[in-house]
Protein backbone atom coordinates (compact mmCIF):
# COMPACT_ATOMS: atom_id res chain seq x y z
CA UNK A 1 0.00 0.00 0.00
CA UNK A 2 1.45 3.34 -1.07
CA UNK A 3 1.29 6.01 1.63
CA UNK A 4 -0.11 9.33 0.44
CA UNK A 5 1.60 12.29 2.08
CA UNK A 6 -0.32 15.55 1.69
CA UNK A 7 1.92 18.60 1.81
CA UNK A 8 4.66 20.40 -0.15
CA UNK A 9 7.95 18.54 -0.29
CA UNK A 10 9.88 21.70 0.64
CA UNK A 11 7.92 22.28 3.87
CA UNK A 12 9.58 21.24 7.13
CA UNK A 13 6.84 19.14 8.70
CA UNK A 14 6.15 17.04 5.58
CA UNK A 15 9.91 16.55 5.30
CA UNK A 16 9.93 15.05 8.81
CA UNK A 17 7.46 12.40 7.64
CA UNK A 18 9.16 11.78 4.31
CA UNK A 19 12.55 11.31 5.97
CA UNK A 20 11.02 8.67 8.23
CA UNK A 21 9.40 6.84 5.33
CA UNK A 22 12.67 6.87 3.42
CA UNK A 23 14.57 5.51 6.42
CA UNK A 24 12.01 2.71 6.63
CA UNK A 25 11.88 2.00 2.91
CA UNK A 26 8.14 2.66 2.77
CA UNK A 27 6.74 3.56 -0.64
CA UNK A 28 4.94 6.90 -0.71
CA UNK A 29 3.26 9.40 -3.00
CA UNK A 30 3.57 13.13 -2.38
CA UNK A 31 0.28 14.97 -2.93
CA UNK A 32 1.25 18.62 -3.27
CA UNK A 33 -0.69 21.16 -1.22
CA UNK A 34 -0.23 24.78 -2.33
CA UNK A 35 0.22 26.76 0.87
CA UNK A 36 0.60 30.10 -0.90
CA UNK A 37 -2.87 29.87 -2.43
CA UNK A 38 -4.34 28.70 0.89
CA UNK A 39 -5.20 25.22 -0.33
CA UNK A 40 -4.59 23.88 3.19
CA UNK A 41 -7.46 26.03 4.49
CA UNK A 42 -10.03 24.80 1.99
CA UNK A 43 -12.89 22.51 3.06
CA UNK A 44 -11.66 19.47 1.13
CA UNK A 45 -8.30 19.61 2.91
CA UNK A 46 -9.80 20.45 6.31
CA UNK A 47 -11.50 17.06 6.15
CA UNK A 48 -8.00 15.56 6.34
CA UNK A 49 -6.51 18.08 8.75
CA UNK A 50 -9.11 20.14 10.62
CA UNK A 51 -6.51 22.70 11.76
CA UNK A 52 -5.42 23.46 8.21
CA UNK A 53 -1.79 22.43 8.57
CA UNK A 54 0.51 20.05 6.72
CA UNK A 55 1.20 17.18 6.54
CA UNK A 56 -1.58 14.63 6.63
CA UNK A 57 -1.27 11.04 5.49
CA UNK A 58 -3.58 8.44 4.03
CA UNK A 59 -2.56 4.80 4.32
CA UNK A 60 -5.35 2.70 2.88
CA UNK A 61 -8.35 3.51 5.06
CA UNK A 62 -6.21 4.97 7.84
CA UNK A 63 -5.72 8.73 8.05
CA UNK A 64 -3.44 10.64 10.41
CA UNK A 65 -2.09 14.15 10.88
CA UNK A 66 0.60 15.82 13.03
CA UNK A 67 4.08 14.98 11.77
CA UNK A 68 5.51 13.65 15.03
CA UNK A 69 2.52 11.36 15.54
CA UNK A 70 2.98 10.12 11.98
CA UNK A 71 6.68 9.33 12.38
CA UNK A 72 6.03 7.52 15.67
CA UNK A 73 3.35 5.49 13.91
CA UNK A 74 5.55 4.40 11.02
CA UNK A 75 8.57 3.78 13.21
CA UNK A 76 6.41 1.36 15.21
CA UNK A 77 4.46 -0.12 12.28
CA UNK A 78 7.67 -0.98 10.45
CA UNK A 79 9.85 -1.62 13.50
CA UNK A 80 11.36 -4.68 11.79
CA UNK A 81 12.18 -2.80 8.57
CA UNK A 82 15.00 -0.37 7.84
CA UNK A 83 16.51 1.72 10.61
CA UNK A 84 15.37 1.13 14.19
CA UNK A 85 14.13 4.62 15.03
CA UNK A 86 12.47 3.96 18.40
CA UNK A 87 15.21 2.48 20.56
CA UNK A 88 15.30 -1.06 21.92
CA UNK A 89 14.91 -0.89 25.70
CA UNK A 90 12.18 0.91 27.60
CA UNK A 91 14.77 3.45 28.74
CA UNK A 92 15.99 4.08 25.18
CA UNK A 93 12.43 4.59 23.99
CA UNK A 94 11.85 7.04 26.85
CA UNK A 95 14.93 9.05 25.85
CA UNK A 96 13.72 9.19 22.26
CA UNK A 97 10.39 10.55 23.46
CA UNK A 98 12.14 13.02 25.75
CA UNK A 99 14.22 14.52 22.93
CA UNK A 100 11.25 14.56 20.57
CA UNK A 101 9.52 16.72 23.16
CA UNK A 102 12.60 18.94 23.43
CA UNK A 103 12.70 19.29 19.66
CA UNK A 104 9.03 20.25 19.48
CA UNK A 105 8.94 22.71 22.39
CA UNK A 106 12.45 24.06 22.93
CA UNK A 107 13.96 23.95 19.45
CA UNK A 108 11.42 23.92 16.64
CA UNK A 109 9.25 26.78 17.89
CA UNK A 110 12.23 29.13 18.00
CA UNK A 111 13.49 28.05 14.58
CA UNK A 112 10.00 28.43 13.15
CA UNK A 113 9.84 32.01 14.39
CA UNK A 114 13.27 32.77 12.94
CA UNK A 115 12.30 31.35 9.55
CA UNK A 116 9.04 33.29 9.56
CA UNK A 117 10.66 36.61 10.44
CA UNK A 118 13.86 36.30 8.39
CA UNK A 119 12.76 34.25 5.39
CA UNK A 120 9.02 33.88 4.84
CA UNK A 121 7.80 37.42 5.52
CA UNK A 122 10.58 39.10 3.47
CA UNK A 123 9.78 36.77 0.55
CA UNK A 124 6.19 37.98 0.78
CA UNK A 125 7.39 41.58 0.67
CA UNK A 126 6.61 42.15 4.33
CA UNK A 127 9.09 43.30 6.99
CA UNK A 128 10.20 40.75 9.55
CA UNK A 129 10.44 41.59 13.23
CA UNK A 130 14.21 41.73 13.69
CA UNK A 131 13.96 42.30 17.44
CA UNK A 132 11.88 39.14 17.79
CA UNK A 133 14.35 37.25 15.60
CA UNK A 134 17.24 38.42 17.76
CA UNK A 135 15.41 37.32 20.90
CA UNK A 136 14.87 33.86 19.37
CA UNK A 137 18.52 33.69 18.40
CA UNK A 138 19.58 34.41 21.99
CA UNK A 139 17.21 31.74 23.31
CA UNK A 140 18.48 29.25 20.75
CA UNK A 141 22.05 29.92 21.85
CA UNK A 142 21.13 28.58 25.29
CA UNK A 143 19.20 25.65 23.83
CA UNK A 144 22.13 24.66 21.63
CA UNK A 145 24.45 24.84 24.62
CA UNK A 146 22.31 22.12 26.21
CA UNK A 147 22.57 20.09 23.00
CA UNK A 148 26.33 20.56 22.96
CA UNK A 149 26.59 19.18 26.48
CA UNK A 150 24.33 16.24 25.68
CA UNK A 151 26.21 15.39 22.47
CA UNK A 152 29.51 15.44 24.32
CA UNK A 153 28.29 12.28 26.06
CA UNK A 154 26.65 10.39 23.21
CA UNK A 155 26.85 10.34 19.42
CA UNK A 156 23.12 10.95 19.04
CA UNK A 157 20.56 12.69 21.21
CA UNK A 158 18.97 9.56 22.67
CA UNK A 159 22.14 7.48 22.84
CA UNK A 160 24.51 5.82 20.43
CA UNK A 161 22.00 5.12 17.65
CA UNK A 162 20.18 7.35 15.18
CA UNK A 163 16.49 7.59 16.14
CA UNK A 164 13.41 9.73 15.67
CA UNK A 165 14.93 12.14 18.17
CA UNK A 166 17.60 13.05 15.62
CA UNK A 167 15.49 12.64 12.49
CA UNK A 168 12.90 15.10 13.75
CA UNK A 169 15.54 17.85 13.89
CA UNK A 170 16.62 17.52 10.26
CA UNK A 171 14.16 19.90 8.51
CA UNK A 172 14.44 22.83 10.92
CA UNK A 173 18.20 22.51 11.25
CA UNK A 174 18.53 22.64 7.47
CA UNK A 175 16.68 25.98 7.56
CA UNK A 176 19.06 27.23 10.24
CA UNK A 177 22.10 26.19 8.23
CA UNK A 178 21.00 27.33 4.78
CA UNK A 179 18.30 30.01 4.90
CA UNK A 180 18.32 32.11 8.06
CA UNK A 181 21.96 33.17 8.32
CA UNK A 182 22.11 31.38 11.68
CA UNK A 183 24.48 28.55 10.80
CA UNK A 184 26.80 29.68 13.59
CA UNK A 185 24.34 28.25 16.10
CA UNK A 186 25.41 24.85 14.81
CA UNK A 187 28.94 25.30 13.48
CA UNK A 188 30.32 27.07 16.57
CA UNK A 189 29.57 24.02 18.69
CA UNK A 190 31.93 21.12 18.03
CA UNK A 191 29.65 18.27 19.07
CA UNK A 192 26.47 19.76 17.62
CA UNK A 193 28.23 20.41 14.32
CA UNK A 194 29.60 16.85 14.16
CA UNK A 195 26.10 15.53 14.91
CA UNK A 196 24.57 17.66 12.17
CA UNK A 197 27.17 16.61 9.61
CA UNK A 198 26.50 13.00 10.55
CA UNK A 199 22.70 13.00 10.42
CA UNK A 200 22.48 15.22 7.33
CA UNK A 201 24.77 12.80 5.48
CA UNK A 202 22.36 9.88 5.81
CA UNK A 203 21.26 8.43 2.44
CA UNK A 204 17.56 8.89 3.26
CA UNK A 205 18.00 12.61 3.97
CA UNK A 206 20.16 13.08 0.87
CA UNK A 207 17.48 11.41 -1.23
CA UNK A 208 14.85 13.71 0.25
CA UNK A 209 16.97 16.75 -0.55
CA UNK A 210 17.11 15.56 -4.15
CA UNK A 211 13.33 15.14 -4.20
CA UNK A 212 12.96 18.66 -2.81
CA UNK A 213 15.38 19.92 -5.48
CA UNK A 214 17.81 21.50 -3.01
Amino acid sequence: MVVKVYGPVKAACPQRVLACLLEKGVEFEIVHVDLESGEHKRPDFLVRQPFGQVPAIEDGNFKLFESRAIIRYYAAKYADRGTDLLGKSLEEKALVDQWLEVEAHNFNELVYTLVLQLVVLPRMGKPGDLALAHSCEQKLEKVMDVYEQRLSKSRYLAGDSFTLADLSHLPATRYLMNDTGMAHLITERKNVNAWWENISSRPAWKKLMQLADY
Side-chain angles (χ1 to χ4, degrees):
M1 185 71 66
V2 176
V3 178
K4 291 184 178 181
V5 181
Y6 291 81
V9 70
K10 289 183 179 291
C13 291
Q15 285 183 357
R16 184 176 291 114
V17 170
L18 296 171
C20 179
L21 295 175
L22 287 165
E23 287 282 353
K24 285 296 183 180
V26 177
E27 190 176 356
F28 60 84
E29 172 191 350
I30 300 170
V31 182
H32 182 68
V33 177
D34 190 344
L35 303 183
E36 290 188 10
S37 69
E39 186 177 352
H40 55 307
K41 301 297 185 183
R42 295 175 186 169
D44 56 339
F45 185 78
L46 292 175
V47 172
R48 300 186 183 282
Q49 217 292 10
F51 301 102
Q53 299 172 328
V54 293
I57 64 100
E58 184 177 307
D59 190 345
N61 294 324
F62 181 64
K63 298 177 182 179
L64 190 65
F65 58 86
E66 289 296 340
S67 62
R68 293 172 190 83
I70 295 169
I71 64 175
R72 283 184 171 107
Y73 170 71
Y74 282 110
K77 181 176 182 178
Y78 297 106
D80 58 349
R81 181 194 298 189
T83 308
D84 174 19
L85 296 172
L86 292 174
K88 291 180 173 58
S89 69
L90 181 62
E91 288 74 19
E92 288 174 349
K93 293 176 189 294
L95 285 171
V96 171
D97 282 341
Q98 171 185 274
W99 283 99
L100 275 172
E101 292 293 323
V102 171
E103 181 270 326
H105 302 295
N106 299 89
F107 178 79
N108 191 70
E109 289 183 4
L110 292 171
V111 177
Y112 175 84
T113 301
L114 279 174
V115 172
L116 178 64
Q117 300 302 327
L118 300 178
V119 180
V120 176
L121 290 176
R123 283 180 183 172
M124 297 171 63
K126 300 178 181 179
D129 186 334
L130 297 183
L132 177 58
H134 180 64
S135 174
C136 287
E137 179 186 5
Q138 291 180 313
K139 291 175 182 177
L140 263 176
E141 291 275 7
K142 296 179 180 179
V143 171
M144 300 319 298
D145 285 343
V146 174
Y147 279 56
E148 179 69 6
Q149 183 179 19
R150 169 58 181 168
L151 292 165
S152 71
K153 300 174 182 177
S154 61
R155 189 179 184 192
Y156 298 98
L157 288 170
D160 293 322
S161 300
F162 177 83
T163 66
L164 292 181
D166 309 288
L167 180 148
S168 195
H169 284 80
L170 282 163
T173 308
R174 191 207 67 80
Y175 271 109
L176 271 185
M177 292 295 294
N178 297 346
D179 296 336
T180 62
M182 296 288 172
H184 65 276
L185 291 167
I186 305 298
T187 59
E188 290 179 355
R189 292 165 174 82
K190 174 186 174 183
N191 297 309
V192 172
N193 191 56
W195 167 75
W196 168 246
E197 290 184 352
N198 181 1
I199 66 174
S200 62
S201 296
R202 295 184 66 82
W205 182 249
K206 287 186 172 181
K207 185 173 182 179
L208 178 53
M209 293 297 93
Q210 291 176 343
L211 288 174
D213 198 26
Y214 284 126

